[in-house]
Amino acid sequence: MHAAPNLFAHRPDRSRRAKPAPFLPMSRAEMDRLGWDQCDVIVVTGDAYIDHPSFGMAIIGRLLESQGLRVGIIAQPDWTSAEAFKVLGPPRLFWGVTGGNMDSMVNHYTADRRLRHNDSYTPNDEGGKRPDRAVTVYAQRCREAFKGIPVVLGGIEASLRRIAQYDHWSEKIRRSVLVDSKADMLVYGNAERAIVEIAQRALAGESPRAMTDIRGTAIMRSSIPEGWTVIDSSSIDDPAATVSPRAAGADRMAVRLPSYEQVSEDKVLYAHASRVLHQESNPGNARALVQRHGDRDVWLNPPPIPLETPEMDGVFDLAYARAPHPSYGDARIPAWDMIRFSVNIMRGCFGGCSFCSITEHEGRIIQSRSEGSILREIEQIRDKTKGFTGTISDMGGPTANMYRLACKDKETESVCRRPSCVFPDICKNLNTDHSSLVQLYRKARAVPGVKKIHIASGLRYDLAVRNPEYVKELVTHHVGGYLKIAPEHTEPGPLAKMMKPGMGAYDEFKRMFDKAAKEAGKKLYLIPYFIAAHPGTTDEDMMNLALWLKRNGFKADQVQTFLPSPMSLATAMYHSERNPLRPIRRIGSEVVSSAKGLRQRRLHKAFLRYHDPENWPILRESLKAMGRADLIGPGEDQLIPAWQPVGATANPREKGPGGKGSAKGPKGQTFLTQQSGKGRRMLPGGKAGAKPGPGRRAG
């Protein structure tokens, strides 16, 4: 792994160092109270400003503040003109622009392109407070407000749209957001190292547009710099796969992807470009990537070096107010309610699930906090967070049980090009020992004032089954009624495209879970989550999944179909009908079918809700067409009845904790099924995804 200077090695000028602001200012009045005449950096965000390490604007703002800079926040501005972008005056160094913790299109629209009317990152859950394609719109307004000031993009929307990408909502290939926004620079992945270097070099008088060598950034170039070798992988024949990243001069090699124009016209080349990009994702051996857009190149420097534990601690120990900005008054912000009593213990995910954006954004190298830092945060919640009653709602991250798990050998890790450490099998070089996590759980429970700690983040059960002590600890002390895990499907075909384990691992974990619950004298339930209409899923696959659900007594309350999020491997499958997990060929490469028509997507969703009378007509029709009319009838082994209730409507949704489907028993229980990994949630470092902080299931 390449060496990187410590994130906090720079000592800011004493004349500029100031006491941390109670909140980063959102108005001139707040700037006046702080004695500021100008901000050095202004962060524009599509989310409400919550000063907490589960929100990107807070992490970046507080980190820059620790470097001696004055940082202002413009949260959810009126984008219809540039006036709202002038509220703090011009930034001295640059604008930082982010769409927020979710891609704005995922935030606004469902998988079936229906408009959402709420937004968990907005006061009172109000929708419509950010524009479609927020990063591009905000960047344009920043330039209009004050001409000539550099614009630096960041966050999940910029990260997942850094190259030409399939856009589900327009059903076409869109250019890199760096091109569309006309920004000076794009920061992708975990942004801390890059943003500190950008700020320090900007203080020295360098323009971000001229900073061409910072890892984890993308810039525009009109030509290849002197001394660089370009490996041309713009065709199906892939020289990048034959040139070792360990070859002499590899640190001055760039891999040329098919151009925006090529991938727009050729779906096979799109799949090929996706495969190459994902192969060049390990910070230990990734090379720069180049993609032509018109007469210029988008140049992607290699991914950022992961943070070490002391650096992670430093990020989480910054001077956060740990509350929404006071200007919101008593307004309820659902995303804050979700994470106010939770603790992030790590970031990253080595699962590599093809539909999930976490690995693409956070990376697959786990970055863990120390026990001391985590325990200090629990004490801060206890002492400072309003409403705390003794329960920590979650202590996890992208996955609940990857804390301190890593490759056994750093040299092996630095040269590995596998997209997943656990598929098709758990790598022999992966340390799967959960003892550090068990020890952390025990110490956290012992913190005075803490009555209960729930583990609500998704569990990677194929890892857990290798650690019986962990399963017993988890079930005995940290499961409150039910535990959610994500098989995603039951059939081998879809599971292979998802890069998920087979149901054997689920069955083994359920056996261990039930045994531990019985020994603890608890009545607990395991809740599996599934995806409808994932690429590679046939109607028969969904039928078999529905039969499994019925045999096991599960009734899905709410379900979600696969959403093709920008840049994921599953999205490449969906668009190209090829499998980028394998070498791409014009003839002979694997063809992947996807449910694209509205009727078929609804059918796949209906199979997950086989118990809902409103779905019986489409299921009857489809089962007959599939030659499976034998599944229509009143029998235990049949899926749906032959009769239709008069005026039948969907069953009223039962509610469980947090308004989600409840799990009340092994037969006929209702549970909530959601898709994971849509480019959507906030992770440690303020980087991505649908839910902020811990509390999602493993992808």
Side-chain angles (χ1 to χ4, degrees), residues 306-319:
L307 299 184
E308 300 292 338
T309 292
E311 295 172 306
M312 283 282 287
D313 290 354
V315 167
F316 280 84
D317 288 345
L318 292 168

Side-chain angles (χ1 to χ4, degrees), residues 283-300:
N285 60 40
R287 295 164 287 196
L289 296 173
V290 189
Q291 187 177 54
R292 199 72 169 173
H293 285 63
D295 59 356
R296 303 181 72 201
D297 285 326
V298 173
W299 178 283
L300 277 73

Side-chain angles (χ1 to χ4, degrees), residues 348-402:
C349 180
F350 50 69
C353 301
S354 66
F355 53 82
C356 184
S357 301
I358 292 173
T359 301
E360 294 160 339
H361 187 66
E362 290 280 322
R364 61 185 176 90
I365 295 174
I366 303 303
Q367 300 158 77
S368 300
R369 297 169 65 186
S370 69
E371 286 183 353
S373 175
I374 294 165
L375 298 177
R376 283 195 301 275
E377 184 171 0
I378 292 174
E379 291 170 348
Q380 284 185 318
I381 292 172
R382 177 196 64 193
D383 298 339
K384 297 181 180 180
T385 304
K386 184 179 178 181
F388 182 67
T389 59
T391 299
I392 298 296
S393 60
D394 190 21
M395 194 169 72
T399 304
N401 59 322
M402 288 187 182

